Amino acid sequence: MIPNSLVEKAEEYVDSGVYFTDLSAMVAYPTESSRPEGHVAIKAYLDEVLVPALTELGCSVTEYANPDSSGGPFLVGTRVESPELPTVLCYGHADVVDGQAGRWSEGRDPWTLTAEGDRWYGRGSADNKGQHLANIAALRLLLAEQGSLGFNLTFLFETGEEVGSPGLAEFAAAHRAELRADVLIASDGPRLDATTPTLFLGSRGGVGIMLDVDLRPDAYHSGNWGGVIRNPATTLAGAIASLVDGHGRIQVPALLPSELPAPVREALTDVVVAGSPGDPAPDKGWGDTTLTAAERLYGWNTLEVLSLGAADIDRPVNAIPGRARAVLQLRYVAGTDVSRAREIVAEHLSDHGYPMVDVTVLGSFAASRTALDDPWLRWAKGALEQVTDKPVAVLPNIGGSLPNHVFTDILGLPTLWLPHSYPGCLQHAPDEHMLSSIAREGVVLAATLFHALGHPSADRPLPARAGLDQPVPADHSA
């Protein structure tokens, strides 16, 4: 059981304003991985923030070049207390999405952390600087409390998660011995809702698909040619409807999982979607109504239209456009084979009378999850429930995506994600924010988990030296 003194110090770290001050300094670095100038800020963030933080934890720190020239560097911090102790791998990402300056409410600056009530506004406050700060702070408090961690620590930071984690899989495979561990404990993504402590075990994957109906270079008068020449916008609408109907139901069986596994269904039995104030209400009748909202979000596949256009919708003219395009995204759960996604979509469209629609896969990221019966999950849930008076939600995976497959499929680790954010945090949008209430609880929960890891118990799995003598598993990414 975590000592009361450690809980009190974790809460004081937030209540005293130190967490806010530390996070303010982190948010001030515009580490936008999608912009060339952001890479200068990323380098400074590594050197001036993360290296000192890891060094303070007693880690030896090494920066590595990315094997993919399109990606930024990796930072690895390692603290070894004893070869006989369990080893935890922690993960975070230093980069953020575009700051979108000028689009934030009330004239807020994305690079200045601003407190308004329970909300701390700033780019990266929730994704991911505020989250890896909570874990670093918990480790720091634990070390100060007892003089040692009681386990070995490896911390991996990447700098390109927001642009698809280029080079991460290759780096993990090449540095597998250095990254070996017994379990991954990391924080990213949202918890179930703002008030529910959550553990999730993986993430859905995604495949971007462009549909392009490029029929002719010119637009032709709709009165003179309507009914005679094919309209690409009408064709595109029909093609999309053959893939996913107007009620969000996928019409292509090959794009669906073969089943909803019983353990997943059981885990989602009491999960309620959209439980925070301000969340949009799930639409009745949308998606596969044979499934609950939680099953649709966390256990099933969806095909969403992300963008759709032809001609100029704001200034339409009486002409049949020559071209129409749409970008769709298949969000899919572990167990779905997406290796032939382009061929499956193209064949389906051709069979339904739309061979003129060109299909291109724009990119993909893999789905993965740790098994729901993994002993590390039972241990973690039990440890957290000793310090919180609320039930701990367990999700097979989040609805969004993370590079979880790198840890499960390449490093062979069980993965435990303890998120310190919530679905309404507006990550990737103007007004991104962290809730101070979640930050306060998050540091306590992280400290609890790390404290339990360093104190042997009957239900804590024994160190397995994961990955030491195993061949590198195949990368199952799409």
Side-chain angles (χ1 to χ4, degrees), residues 115-132:
E116 296 181 21
D118 193 30
R119 296 186 173 192
W120 295 347
Y121 291 96
R123 177 61 81 225
S125 57
D127 187 18
N128 172 254
K129 295 174 180 177
Q131 300 218 41
H132 61 247

Side-chain angles (χ1 to χ4, degrees), residues 42 198 268 270 470:
I42 286 172
T198 302
L268 297 174
D270 297 321
Q470 303 171 21

Side-chain angles (χ1 to χ4, degrees), residues 135-166:
N135 292 345
I136 290 172
L139 289 163
R140 189 166 58 222
L141 291 168
L142 180 62
L143 193 58
E145 173 82 7
Q146 56 190 30
S148 64
L149 297 176
F151 55 87
N152 304 315
L153 171 67
T154 302
F155 221 128
L156 168 64
F157 282 97
E158 69 161 315
T159 58
E161 193 272 347
E162 300 295 4
V163 290
S165 297

Side-chain angles (χ1 to χ4, degrees), residues 197-222:
T198 302
L199 287 166
F200 65 84
L201 305 179
S203 63
R204 287 200 294 185
V207 180
I209 301 169
M210 174 176 281
L211 304 182
D212 189 354
V213 189
D214 189 1
L215 300 184
R216 58 189 71 88
D218 299 311
Y220 287 86
H221 192 281
S222 57

Side-chain angles (χ1 to χ4, degrees), residues 201 261-264 266-267 369-381 394-396 414-416 459 461:
L201 305 179
V264 173
E266 182 179 355
R369 69 164 72 105
T370 291
L372 283 155
D373 61 355
D374 190 278
W376 280 103
L377 173 60
R378 293 194 297 273
W379 164 81
K381 187 172 185 292
V394 174
L395 302 178
T415 54
L416 300 173
D459 60 345

Side-chain angles (χ1 to χ4, degrees), residues 137-422:
L139 289 163
R140 189 166 58 222
L141 291 168
L142 180 62
L143 193 58
E145 173 82 7
Q146 56 190 30
S148 64
L149 297 176
F151 55 87
N152 304 315
L153 171 67
T154 302
F155 221 128
L156 168 64
F157 282 97
E158 69 161 315
T159 58
E161 193 272 347
E162 300 295 4
V163 290
S165 297
L168 178 60
E170 295 83 353
F171 177 81
H175 294 266
R176 195 162 178 264
E178 184 178 358
L179 299 175
R180 66 178 180 261
D182 295 289
V183 63
L184 173 89
I185 297 178
S187 299
D188 202 350
R191 48 167 59 183
L192 176 61
D193 57 53
T195 62
T196 305
T198 302
L199 287 166
F200 65 84
L201 305 179
S203 63
R204 287 200 294 185
V207 180
I209 301 169
M210 174 176 281
L211 304 182
D212 189 354
V213 189
D214 189 1
L215 300 184
R216 58 189 71 88
D218 299 311
Y220 287 86
H221 192 281
S222 57
N224 295 337
W225 293 97
V228 178
I229 61 173
R230 176 176 286 276
N231 187 314
T234 307
T235 299
L236 180 61
I240 293 173
S242 79
L243 297 170
V244 55
D245 72 13
H247 301 287
R249 294 184 287 259
I250 294 177
Q251 302 298 295
V252 187
L255 296 181
L256 291 170
S258 59
E259 63 174 353
L260 181 67
V264 173
R265 187 185 296 275
E266 182 179 355
L268 297 174
T269 298
D270 297 321
V271 171
V272 177
V273 174
S276 301
D279 284 348
D283 287 301
K284 294 181 179 179
W286 181 259
D288 188 339
T289 54
T290 66
L291 304 173
T292 67
E295 290 167 350
R296 296 197 297 272
L297 183 59
Y298 301 118
W300 208 241
N301 295 358
T302 64
L303 185 60
E304 302 292 346
V305 178
L306 303 185
S307 61
L308 175 66
D312 188 340
I313 195 168
D314 294 318
R315 297 176 179 84
V317 296
N318 296 326
I320 298 168
R323 186 179 189 184
R325 290 179 294 169
V327 174
L328 284 66
Q329 186 183 62
L330 176 70
R331 288 278 184 176
Y332 70 96
V333 296
T336 307
D337 182 5
V338 297
S339 61
R340 295 187 62 255
R342 194 204 72 80
E343 290 82 0
I344 288 170
V345 171
E347 290 168 6
H348 174 90
L349 292 178
S350 180
D351 290 345
H352 285 73
Y354 300 108
M356 71 292 297
V357 178
D358 184 65
V359 180
T360 304
V361 168
L362 301 176
S364 62
F365 35 91
S368 62
R369 69 164 72 105
T370 291
L372 283 155
D373 61 355
D374 190 278
W376 280 103
L377 173 60
R378 293 194 297 273
W379 164 81
K381 187 172 185 292
L384 294 177
E385 287 178 342
Q386 291 181 19
V387 76
T388 179
D389 58 358
K390 296 175 284 190
V392 175
V394 174
L395 302 178
N397 47 258
I398 55 169
S401 297
L402 292 167
N404 186 73
H405 75 285
V406 171
F407 307 108
T408 55
D409 296 358
I410 295 176
L411 296 178
L413 299 179
T415 54
L416 300 173
W417 295 86
L418 177 68
H420 306 310
S421 185
Y422 78 114

